[in-house]
Amino acid sequence: MTKNFEIAVFQGDGIGPEITGPTVDILTRMAAASSAYSLTFVDAPAGAQHYAETGESFPAASMEVAKKSDAILLSAMGLPNVRYADGTEISPQIDLRKALTLFAGVRPVTVKAGQRTPLNMPEGKEIDFVLIRESTEGLFYTQGKGEVTENEARETLLITRDISEKLFKFTFELARARKASGRGSARVTCVDKANVFRAFAFFRDLFDAEAAKHPDLNADHAYVDATALWMVQKPWEFDVMVTENMFGDILSDLGAGLMGGLGLAPSADIGLDHAVFQPCHGSAPDIAGQGVANPFAMILSAAMMLDWLGIKHENRGLVADGKRLREAVEDVVAQGRVLTRDLGGTAGTQDAAKAVLDTLFVS
Ligand code: ATP
C-alpha cells in the first residue's frame, strides 16, 4: 500500500509564500507520479506577518501540526519592522528547533562544474561537502538570556555529553549514507578550538569516542580558523564536517558564499523524531511581492526532505525522488538558461520553478 506522509508547511513571511507555492506544486507532481508514496500538505500559520495580524507569532495549533507531521517544510520567518515589544525578532523556526530538539543543522555545500562561484576552481574540481552545525546549545545556549551590566556582558557556551553523542552518531551515519550513495570521501572532520578552550577539548573527546565505533570512516580534526581558510583554498577536500552552533552559523554562510549566494543554499534541522527543511536565506523583504525570488534553495530543501523521509522510512521511491529533484535543480543551474537575478539571470520565481518541473517531467 502506498504510504502517505503528512507535511507541515510554514509559508512564512516576505518571499516565503512566493517560494513555497511552486515548491509544493513540484512535490505534488512528483508524489502524483510515484507509486511509492503520497504526500498531504497541512498549512501551519506562524511568523511576523501572522503576529502583526493576530498578536500571535506561533499559534499552539501550528506547533501541534508540526509535532504530528512526518516532516516540516518551512520557508522563511521574520520581518525587520515587526518585532516583539522588547525589540527582538520573531523567529518561530528557533522555537521549533528548541521544542523538537533538532540538534543537527545540516548544510550541504555543492558547486558543480559550470556553476557560478566566487572561487577560481581548478579544472575538474567540484565542491560537495556537508557542514553539520549543532543547533540547540553551544554559544547559543544563553540566547536572549545573556547577562549585561554597565561594565560587563556574559554569555555561556554549553556543550553537553547527551547532545554531542547524538550529534556525532548522526554525523557518522550521514557520512556512511553519503559513501553508500557514491558521494564524498568517507571523511568526517570535527571542527573546534580544542587548543584553546576546555569545552572544545571535551567536544573533541566525545567525537573521538564516536569515531572509534566507525573504523570504515576516516575521522580527523581541524581548528575553526584554519577551516575557514581551507573552505576558501581547497573546499573540494572536505566531505562531512561537524561543529558547534556559533562556529557552524558562521561557516555555513561562508559555504553559501562558495555556492554563489544564499539563493542556492538549502538546509535541514534534524532531531531523533522530527526534522525541519528550510532554505538558509531569510524572508528577503527587499524583494518580496515582486515575483523575482530564487526558489532553488527552497526546492533543494524539499529534496533533502524527500531523502530524509525515504531513509527514515526505508522508502526507496522517496530517496530516488529526493536525488532526482536535487539533480534537476543542479541541471537547471549548470545550464544557466533560466536563472533568477541573484544568480545573474533575469528569470522570475515561476519561470525558475517551471524549468525544474520541465527537467523532471518533459525531457
Ligand atoms: P535573516 O536574518 O532572516 O536570515 P537576512 O537579513 O540575512 O535574513 P535575507 O532575508 O536572507 O537576509 O536576505 C539577504 C539578501 O539576500 C537580500 O538582499 C535578499 O534580497 C537576498 N536574498 C535572500 N534570499 C533570496 C532569494 N531566495 N532570492 C533572491 N534573493 C535573495
Side-chain angles (χ1 to χ4, degrees), residues 86-127:
D86 67 359
T88 56
E89 278 188 40
I90 287 147
S91 43
Q93 67 276 29
I94 296 179
D95 301 337
L96 264 178
R97 237 177 252 167
K98 286 183 181 153
L100 305 180
T101 320
L102 308 178
F103 52 83
V106 181
R107 311 278 187 272
V109 177
T110 55
V111 177
K112 296 279 171 192
Q115 187 175 329
R116 234 168 55 128
T117 167
L119 295 183
N120 272 330
M121 297 281 289
E123 193 64 31
K125 293 279 188 211
E126 292 190 339
I127 301 174

Short mmCIF file of all heavy atoms in Angstrom, two decimals, residues 86-127:
data_model
loop_
_atom_site.label_atom_id
_atom_site.label_comp_id
_atom_site.label_asym_id
_atom_site.label_seq_id
_atom_site.Cartn_x
_atom_site.Cartn_y
_atom_site.Cartn_z
N ASP A 86 9.92 43.82 23.27
CA ASP A 86 11.29 44.02 23.77
C ASP A 86 12.30 44.25 22.65
O ASP A 86 13.51 44.32 22.88
CB ASP A 86 11.73 42.83 24.65
CG ASP A 86 11.88 41.54 23.86
OD1 ASP A 86 11.64 41.55 22.63
OD2 ASP A 86 12.26 40.52 24.47
N GLY A 87 11.83 44.33 21.41
CA GLY A 87 12.71 44.66 20.28
C GLY A 87 13.30 43.44 19.59
O GLY A 87 13.95 43.59 18.54
N THR A 88 13.09 42.23 20.13
CA THR A 88 13.68 41.05 19.48
C THR A 88 12.83 40.61 18.29
O THR A 88 11.63 40.90 18.22
CB THR A 88 13.82 39.87 20.47
OG1 THR A 88 12.54 39.59 21.03
CG2 THR A 88 14.81 40.19 21.58
N GLU A 89 13.48 39.90 17.36
CA GLU A 89 12.80 39.48 16.13
C GLU A 89 11.93 38.25 16.35
O GLU A 89 12.17 37.47 17.26
CB GLU A 89 13.84 39.17 15.05
CG GLU A 89 14.33 40.42 14.35
CD GLU A 89 15.21 40.10 13.16
OE1 GLU A 89 14.90 39.15 12.43
OE2 GLU A 89 16.21 40.80 12.99
N ILE A 90 10.98 38.10 15.46
CA ILE A 90 10.07 36.95 15.56
C ILE A 90 10.66 35.80 14.76
O ILE A 90 10.85 35.92 13.55
CB ILE A 90 8.68 37.36 15.04
CG1 ILE A 90 8.05 38.28 16.11
CG2 ILE A 90 7.79 36.18 14.76
CD1 ILE A 90 7.19 39.34 15.59
N SER A 91 10.99 34.72 15.44
CA SER A 91 11.64 33.61 14.72
C SER A 91 11.12 32.26 15.22
O SER A 91 11.81 31.56 15.97
CB SER A 91 13.16 33.70 14.87
OG SER A 91 13.51 34.02 16.20
N PRO A 92 9.90 31.89 14.79
CA PRO A 92 9.33 30.60 15.22
C PRO A 92 10.21 29.41 14.85
O PRO A 92 10.12 28.36 15.48
CB PRO A 92 7.99 30.54 14.47
CG PRO A 92 7.66 31.95 14.18
CD PRO A 92 8.95 32.66 13.97
N GLN A 93 11.09 29.58 13.82
CA GLN A 93 11.95 28.45 13.45
C GLN A 93 12.91 28.09 14.59
O GLN A 93 13.27 26.93 14.78
CB GLN A 93 12.71 28.72 12.14
CG GLN A 93 13.74 29.82 12.15
CD GLN A 93 13.13 31.21 11.92
OE1 GLN A 93 11.98 31.46 12.26
NE2 GLN A 93 13.89 32.13 11.37
N ILE A 94 13.30 29.11 15.38
CA ILE A 94 14.19 28.82 16.52
C ILE A 94 13.38 28.15 17.64
O ILE A 94 13.85 27.23 18.29
CB ILE A 94 14.89 30.12 16.99
CG1 ILE A 94 15.79 30.61 15.85
CG2 ILE A 94 15.71 29.88 18.26
CD1 ILE A 94 16.55 31.89 16.13
N ASP A 95 12.11 28.58 17.81
CA ASP A 95 11.23 27.91 18.79
C ASP A 95 11.07 26.44 18.42
O ASP A 95 11.09 25.56 19.29
CB ASP A 95 9.84 28.57 18.82
CG ASP A 95 9.92 30.06 19.16
OD1 ASP A 95 10.92 30.46 19.78
OD2 ASP A 95 8.99 30.81 18.80
N LEU A 96 10.90 26.18 17.12
CA LEU A 96 10.73 24.80 16.65
C LEU A 96 11.97 23.96 16.96
O LEU A 96 11.88 22.83 17.42
CB LEU A 96 10.53 24.79 15.13
CG LEU A 96 9.12 24.75 14.59
CD1 LEU A 96 9.14 24.81 13.07
CD2 LEU A 96 8.36 23.51 15.04
N ARG A 97 13.14 24.54 16.68
CA ARG A 97 14.41 23.85 16.92
C ARG A 97 14.51 23.41 18.38
O ARG A 97 14.92 22.30 18.68
CB ARG A 97 15.55 24.84 16.63
CG ARG A 97 16.52 24.37 15.59
CD ARG A 97 17.55 25.45 15.35
NE ARG A 97 17.36 26.08 14.06
CZ ARG A 97 17.95 27.21 13.68
NH1 ARG A 97 18.77 27.84 14.49
NH2 ARG A 97 17.75 27.71 12.48
N LYS A 98 14.12 24.32 19.27
CA LYS A 98 14.21 24.02 20.70
C LYS A 98 13.13 23.03 21.11
O LYS A 98 13.41 22.04 21.79
CB LYS A 98 14.09 25.31 21.52
CG LYS A 98 15.36 26.14 21.42
CD LYS A 98 15.30 27.38 22.27
CE LYS A 98 16.60 28.18 22.10
NZ LYS A 98 16.42 29.60 22.34
N ALA A 99 11.88 23.30 20.68
CA ALA A 99 10.76 22.46 21.13
C ALA A 99 10.91 21.02 20.65
O ALA A 99 10.52 20.08 21.34
CB ALA A 99 9.44 23.05 20.62
N LEU A 100 11.48 20.83 19.47
CA LEU A 100 11.57 19.48 18.90
C LEU A 100 12.98 18.89 19.01
O LEU A 100 13.28 17.84 18.45
CB LEU A 100 11.14 19.50 17.42
CG LEU A 100 9.75 20.09 17.14
CD1 LEU A 100 9.43 20.05 15.65
CD2 LEU A 100 8.67 19.34 17.90
N THR A 101 13.87 19.59 19.74
CA THR A 101 15.27 19.16 19.93
C THR A 101 15.92 18.77 18.60
O THR A 101 16.38 17.64 18.41
CB THR A 101 15.38 17.99 20.95
OG1 THR A 101 14.48 18.25 22.02
CG2 THR A 101 16.78 17.88 21.53
N LEU A 102 15.96 19.73 17.71
CA LEU A 102 16.56 19.49 16.39
C LEU A 102 18.04 19.86 16.48
O LEU A 102 18.43 20.98 16.16
CB LEU A 102 15.83 20.34 15.33
CG LEU A 102 14.30 20.18 15.33
CD1 LEU A 102 13.66 21.09 14.30
CD2 LEU A 102 13.90 18.73 15.06
N PHE A 103 18.85 18.92 16.94
CA PHE A 103 20.24 19.24 17.29
C PHE A 103 21.18 19.31 16.08
O PHE A 103 22.23 19.91 16.16
CB PHE A 103 20.78 18.23 18.31
CG PHE A 103 20.58 16.80 17.89
CD1 PHE A 103 21.46 16.18 17.03
CD2 PHE A 103 19.49 16.08 18.36
CE1 PHE A 103 21.27 14.87 16.64
CE2 PHE A 103 19.29 14.75 17.97
CZ PHE A 103 20.18 14.16 17.11
N ALA A 104 20.79 18.67 14.97
CA ALA A 104 21.73 18.62 13.83
C ALA A 104 21.28 19.55 12.70
O ALA A 104 20.29 19.28 12.01
CB ALA A 104 21.83 17.19 13.30
N GLY A 105 21.99 20.65 12.54
CA GLY A 105 21.73 21.56 11.43
C GLY A 105 22.57 21.10 10.24
O GLY A 105 23.79 21.16 10.28
N VAL A 106 21.89 20.62 9.20
CA VAL A 106 22.62 20.04 8.06
C VAL A 106 22.66 21.06 6.92
O VAL A 106 21.62 21.50 6.43
CB VAL A 106 21.91 18.74 7.59
CG1 VAL A 106 22.66 18.11 6.43
CG2 VAL A 106 21.81 17.76 8.76
N ARG A 107 23.87 21.44 6.51
CA ARG A 107 24.03 22.47 5.48
C ARG A 107 24.91 21.93 4.35
O ARG A 107 26.13 22.00 4.42
CB ARG A 107 24.72 23.71 6.05
CG ARG A 107 24.14 24.24 7.36
CD ARG A 107 22.92 25.10 7.09
NE ARG A 107 22.45 25.76 8.29
CZ ARG A 107 21.58 25.23 9.15
NH1 ARG A 107 21.10 24.01 8.95
NH2 ARG A 107 21.17 25.91 10.21
N PRO A 108 24.30 21.38 3.29
CA PRO A 108 25.11 20.87 2.18
C PRO A 108 25.68 22.02 1.35
O PRO A 108 25.01 23.04 1.17
CB PRO A 108 24.10 20.09 1.33
CG PRO A 108 22.81 20.11 2.07
CD PRO A 108 22.87 21.21 3.06
N VAL A 109 26.89 21.87 0.90
CA VAL A 109 27.52 22.89 0.02
C VAL A 109 27.99 22.18 -1.24
O VAL A 109 28.85 21.29 -1.17
CB VAL A 109 28.70 23.57 0.74
CG1 VAL A 109 29.39 24.56 -0.20
CG2 VAL A 109 28.22 24.29 2.00
N THR A 110 27.40 22.54 -2.37
CA THR A 110 27.82 21.91 -3.63
C THR A 110 28.07 22.98 -4.69
O THR A 110 27.32 23.93 -4.81
CB THR A 110 26.75 20.94 -4.18
OG1 THR A 110 25.53 21.66 -4.30
CG2 THR A 110 26.53 19.74 -3.30
N VAL A 111 29.14 22.80 -5.42
CA VAL A 111 29.39 23.62 -6.61
C VAL A 111 29.77 22.66 -7.72
O VAL A 111 30.82 22.03 -7.70
CB VAL A 111 30.53 24.65 -6.38
CG1 VAL A 111 30.79 25.43 -7.67
CG2 VAL A 111 30.18 25.61 -5.26
N LYS A 112 28.84 22.52 -8.67
CA LYS A 112 29.05 21.60 -9.79
C LYS A 112 29.79 22.32 -10.92
O LYS A 112 29.80 23.55 -10.98
CB LYS A 112 27.68 21.14 -10.32
CG LYS A 112 26.90 20.35 -9.32
CD LYS A 112 27.39 18.94 -9.34
CE LYS A 112 26.82 18.12 -8.21
NZ LYS A 112 27.48 16.84 -8.05
N ALA A 113 30.34 21.55 -11.83
CA ALA A 113 31.02 22.13 -12.99
C ALA A 113 30.05 23.07 -13.70
O ALA A 113 28.90 22.73 -13.91
CB ALA A 113 31.47 21.03 -13.93
N GLY A 114 30.50 24.26 -14.02
CA GLY A 114 29.65 25.21 -14.75
C GLY A 114 28.89 26.16 -13.84
O GLY A 114 28.35 27.16 -14.29
N GLN A 115 28.82 25.84 -12.55
CA GLN A 115 28.08 26.70 -11.62
C GLN A 115 28.91 27.93 -11.25
O GLN A 115 30.12 27.82 -11.06
CB GLN A 115 27.75 25.89 -10.36
CG GLN A 115 26.86 26.59 -9.39
CD GLN A 115 26.47 25.66 -8.23
OE1 GLN A 115 26.37 24.45 -8.39
NE2 GLN A 115 26.26 26.23 -7.07
N ARG A 116 28.24 29.07 -11.16
CA ARG A 116 28.93 30.30 -10.79
C ARG A 116 29.41 30.23 -9.35
O ARG A 116 28.66 29.85 -8.46
CB ARG A 116 27.95 31.47 -10.91
CG ARG A 116 28.44 32.59 -11.79
CD ARG A 116 27.30 33.53 -12.09
NE ARG A 116 26.66 34.02 -10.87
CZ ARG A 116 26.44 35.30 -10.60
NH1 ARG A 116 26.84 36.22 -11.44
NH2 ARG A 116 25.82 35.68 -9.50
N THR A 117 30.66 30.57 -9.09
CA THR A 117 31.19 30.61 -7.73
C THR A 117 32.25 31.70 -7.68
O THR A 117 32.91 31.96 -8.68
CB THR A 117 31.82 29.25 -7.33
OG1 THR A 117 32.58 29.42 -6.12
CG2 THR A 117 32.71 28.66 -8.39
N PRO A 118 32.42 32.36 -6.54
CA PRO A 118 33.47 33.40 -6.47
C PRO A 118 34.88 32.80 -6.50
O PRO A 118 35.85 33.53 -6.66
CB PRO A 118 33.20 34.09 -5.13
CG PRO A 118 32.20 33.30 -4.42
CD PRO A 118 31.59 32.31 -5.35
N LEU A 119 34.99 31.47 -6.38
CA LEU A 119 36.32 30.84 -6.39
C LEU A 119 36.80 30.61 -7.81
O LEU A 119 36.01 30.42 -8.72
CB LEU A 119 36.27 29.47 -5.71
CG LEU A 119 35.95 29.42 -4.23
CD1 LEU A 119 36.01 27.99 -3.74
CD2 LEU A 119 36.93 30.28 -3.45
N ASN A 120 38.11 30.58 -7.98
CA ASN A 120 38.70 30.11 -9.23
C ASN A 120 38.89 28.61 -9.09
O ASN A 120 39.86 28.15 -8.52
CB ASN A 120 40.08 30.75 -9.46
CG ASN A 120 39.93 32.05 -10.19
OD1 ASN A 120 39.01 32.23 -10.97
ND2 ASN A 120 40.84 32.97 -9.91
N MET A 121 37.94 27.84 -9.59
CA MET A 121 38.01 26.39 -9.38
C MET A 121 38.99 25.76 -10.35
O MET A 121 38.90 25.99 -11.55
CB MET A 121 36.62 25.78 -9.61
CG MET A 121 35.57 26.27 -8.65
SD MET A 121 35.69 25.44 -7.06
CE MET A 121 35.11 23.81 -7.49
N PRO A 122 39.92 24.92 -9.83
CA PRO A 122 40.80 24.20 -10.74
C PRO A 122 39.98 23.29 -11.65
O PRO A 122 38.93 22.78 -11.23
CB PRO A 122 41.69 23.37 -9.81
CG PRO A 122 41.50 23.95 -8.45
CD PRO A 122 40.17 24.61 -8.43
N GLU A 123 40.45 23.09 -12.87
CA GLU A 123 39.78 22.24 -13.86
C GLU A 123 39.42 20.88 -13.24
O GLU A 123 40.27 20.26 -12.57
CB GLU A 123 40.76 22.06 -15.03
CG GLU A 123 40.19 21.49 -16.30
CD GLU A 123 39.13 22.38 -16.94
OE1 GLU A 123 39.21 23.61 -16.81
OE2 GLU A 123 38.22 21.80 -17.57
N GLY A 124 38.21 20.45 -13.42
CA GLY A 124 37.83 19.10 -12.97
C GLY A 124 37.43 19.00 -11.51
O GLY A 124 36.98 17.95 -11.06
N LYS A 125 37.58 20.07 -10.76
CA LYS A 125 37.21 20.01 -9.33
C LYS A 125 35.75 20.44 -9.15
O LYS A 125 35.27 21.36 -9.81
CB LYS A 125 38.08 20.97 -8.50
CG LYS A 125 39.55 20.58 -8.44
CD LYS A 125 39.78 19.51 -7.41
CE LYS A 125 41.27 19.28 -7.22
NZ LYS A 125 41.59 17.91 -6.86
N GLU A 126 35.07 19.77 -8.21
CA GLU A 126 33.73 20.19 -7.81
C GLU A 126 33.69 20.21 -6.30
O GLU A 126 34.48 19.51 -5.64
CB GLU A 126 32.69 19.18 -8.33
CG GLU A 126 32.55 19.20 -9.85
CD GLU A 126 31.34 18.40 -10.33
OE1 GLU A 126 30.87 17.52 -9.58
OE2 GLU A 126 30.89 18.65 -11.46
N ILE A 127 32.80 21.01 -5.74
CA ILE A 127 32.67 21.05 -4.28
C ILE A 127 31.43 20.25 -3.90
O ILE A 127 30.37 20.42 -4.50
CB ILE A 127 32.54 22.50 -3.77
CG1 ILE A 127 33.76 23.33 -4.19
CG2 ILE A 127 32.37 22.53 -2.25
CD1 ILE A 127 33.63 24.81 -3.86
#
